[in-house]
Each structure stands twice: as C-alpha cells, then as structure tokens.
Amino acid sequence: MVNDGPPIKFVALWGAFALLMLLGQAQLISHGTNIAMSYQLDQGGEPTLMAALD
C-alpha cells in the first residue's frame, strides 16, 4: 500500500505552482490587464492576454 497515488512531493510542487499562477493572475488583473480565456476572445476589441492554463 506504499505506492498508492502520486508522491507527496509531486502533489506539493504542483499545488505550489498552481497557487503561484493564481496569485500571478490576480496580480495582473488588479493592475488592469485584460485576461480572457480562448473562448472569450473578441477579435474587434482591444489587445488581450490569453491565459495558458486552460
């Protein structure tokens, strides 16, 4: 039963990465950057950054 699931270091590393990406996205939004998902793009609008963690 030792090898059940992924190693705890792997889960902790990806959890920290996801948290940092979430905080980075919140920082960008708080500074007024327009961020849209790929299905929300408006071709005629102003320039927009696209989130890459879809």
Side-chain angles (χ1 to χ4, degrees):
M1 302 301 280
V2 174
N3 293 326
D4 289 344
I8 191 69
K9 288 181 184 179
F10 176 79
V11 174
L13 179 67
W14 276 107
F17 173 74
L19 182 62
L20 288 174
M21 293 303 290
L22 181 65
L23 293 174
Q25 185 178 16
Q27 185 75 15
L28 284 171
I29 291 170
S30 72
H31 283 104
T33 304
N34 292 328
I35 297 177
M37 303 308 264
S38 58
Y39 54 84
Q40 297 174 324
L41 290 179
D42 179 17
Q43 298 296 332
E46 58 189 48
T48 305
L49 294 177
M50 185 181 299
L53 296 176
D54 228 6

